[in-house]
Amino acid sequence: MPSKTYQRIRLDHASEVAEDYVEAIADAIAERGVCRAMDLVKHFAVTHATVNNTIGRLQRDGLVVTEPYQPIELTAAGKRLATQSRKRHEIVEGFLRRLGVSAATAATDSEGIEHHVSKETLNAMKRVLTDGWPSE
Amino acid sequence: MPSKTYQRIRLDHASEVAEDYVEAIADAIAERGVCRAMDLVKHFAVTHATVNNTIGRLQRDGLVVTEPYQPIELTAAGKRLATQSRKRHEIVEGFLRRLGVSAATAATDSEGIEHHVSKETLNAMKRVLTDGWPSE
DNA sequence: AGCTCGAGTTAGCCAATGCTAACTTTTTCG
DNA sequence: CGAAAAAGTTAGCATTGGCTAACTCGAGCT
Ligand SMILES: [Mn+2]
Ligand SMILES: [Mn+2]
Ligand SMILES: [Mn+2]
Ligand SMILES: [Mn+2]
């Protein structure tokens, strides 16, 4: 109802791409040692040109560092954001699984939902994962 | 994990503004008889010029009809989308309330989450609202 | 060494969604 | 009635996040 609602959602969307990218970059580094642009091309199903543009913005915003033709690295801020985003993502996905949703659906839905979950809602989900469902 | 995940999220976002607008227009008509652009300016906290642009797209897409200086009306397709969006929205918001989240947070979070909830997840939420929490 | 081919870069384009500023129309009110 | 205020329109602009096409770089193979 309050008009600030939609402003917050616009902010959520503004940080969404950054969050998903740093998470994917951290995953690639964890799994394959380095992250190359092509890893992100496959992961997000966008073109190499789009990845390049996006990485440029992330670098501008201090989340990654790249040098021409080199793998993509995360800054300290990028690593922090990646860790934090992954934690939140895991809680949302785990919660959906707990709700009885299939693994495939939980994976897909949580990828969008995660960016719109406030601290309060995240805590409620976490509580379910550790303590079980609320009474009644 | 599958690359189609992010394609679906991009589609979710592409329909998000349309869904929120037709819902708000239907609400305004239900509450005040007509919907004027200024109602949407207040609701979404954007400028009148932005509302005008957006309404133009909705008209192009066959969801609303407007004539200069006249109130905004929904087409049959617009009404259908509004009804469907509101139902989904109410389930998501009700579910968050049931989870123990405050009314204010449930209102805000559901406004973003609603657009990323698949049929399967929506059904799981609906089940909680009618039958209570899953066993375990 | 030289070539080829995959990967990366750059330029140029588009649509969506936001904005401000200037103008027009309608409504309201003295 | 007429002026001021409110509402609506239009023009022009920016950013994000997509795309294609053309070019460059570099790794690896013959
Ligand atoms: Mn994520
Ligand atoms: Mn995501
Ligand atoms: Mn919404
Ligand atoms: Mn979203």
Side-chain angles (χ1 to χ4, degrees):
Chain A
M1 192 99 193
S3 64
K4 270 200 250 168
T5 295
Y6 294 93
Q7 294 177 316
R8 215 219 46 200
I9 289 167
R10 291 195 287 271
L11 287 180
D12 292 344
H13 285 153
S15 34
E16 168 158 354
V17 170
E19 290 166 356
D20 286 340
Y21 266 65
V22 295
E23 211 183 323
I25 293 165
D27 285 353
I29 290 171
E31 284 164 28
R32 290 182 292 284
V34 294
C35 177
R36 312 266 2 178
M38 286 310 292
D39 297 328
L40 302 173
V41 166
K42 280 168 208 146
H43 186 79
F44 292 111
V46 294
T47 63
H48 47 227
T50 294
V51 165
N52 223 46
N53 282 345
T54 304
I55 293 299
R57 279 197 305 281
L58 298 186
Q59 183 153 30
R60 179 202 64 190
D61 297 342
L63 296 170
V64 308
V65 199
T66 54
E67 292 200 74
Y69 302 99
Q70 291 313 118
I72 298 155
E73 286 175 80
L74 290 171
T75 63
K79 281 177 203 164
R80 265 197 308 277
L81 182 61
T83 303
Q84 179 190 317
S85 297
R86 172 162 36 245
K87 262 184 212 152
R88 189 191 55 188
H89 194 152
E90 279 168 3
I91 291 166
V92 173
E93 185 169 2
F95 176 83
L96 290 179
R97 293 288 288 129
R98 187 70 167 251
L99 229 201
V101 167
S102 72
T105 298
T108 301
D109 287 15
S110 67
E111 194 59 69
I113 290 173
E114 56 169 348
H115 309 280
H116 301 287
V117 165
S118 65
K119 274 260 155 60
E120 184 186 346
T121 298
L122 194 68
N123 282 336
M125 290 180 172
K126 207 187 313 185
R127 204 156 31 237
V128 169
L129 289 177
T130 59
D131 306 350
W133 298 111
S135 44
E136 272 338 75
Chain B
M1 194 92 190
S3 63
K4 269 200 250 165
T5 296
Y6 294 92
Q7 294 177 315
R8 215 220 47 202
I9 288 167
R10 290 194 288 270
L11 287 179
D12 291 344
H13 285 152
S15 33
E16 170 159 351
V17 169
E19 290 166 357
D20 286 340
Y21 266 66
V22 294
E23 210 184 323
I25 293 166
D27 284 353
I29 290 172
E31 285 165 25
R32 290 182 291 283
V34 293
C35 177
R36 312 264 7 176
M38 285 311 291
D39 296 329
L40 302 172
V41 167
K42 280 169 207 145
H43 186 80
F44 292 110
V46 294
T47 63
H48 48 228
T50 293
V51 165
N52 222 47
N53 282 346
T54 304
I55 292 298
R57 279 197 306 279
L58 298 185
Q59 182 153 29
R60 179 202 64 190
D61 297 343
L63 295 170
V64 308
V65 199
T66 53
E67 293 199 75
Y69 302 100
Q70 291 313 117
I72 299 155
E73 285 175 77
L74 291 171
T75 63
K79 280 178 201 160
R80 267 196 307 279
L81 183 61
T83 302
Q84 180 189 316
S85 297
R86 177 173 15 253
K87 262 184 212 153
R88 190 190 54 186
H89 195 152
E90 279 169 2
I91 291 166
V92 173
E93 186 169 0
F95 176 83
L96 290 179
R97 292 287 288 132
R98 188 70 167 250
L99 230 202
V101 166
S102 71
T105 298
T108 300
D109 287 14
S110 67
E111 194 60 69
I113 290 172
E114 56 169 345
H115 309 280
H116 301 288
V117 166
S118 65
K119 273 259 154 60
E120 184 186 346
T121 299
L122 194 67
N123 282 336
M125 290 180 173
K126 209 188 309 184
R127 204 155 34 236
V128 169
L129 289 177
T130 60
D131 305 350
W133 299 109
S135 41
E136 279 322 84

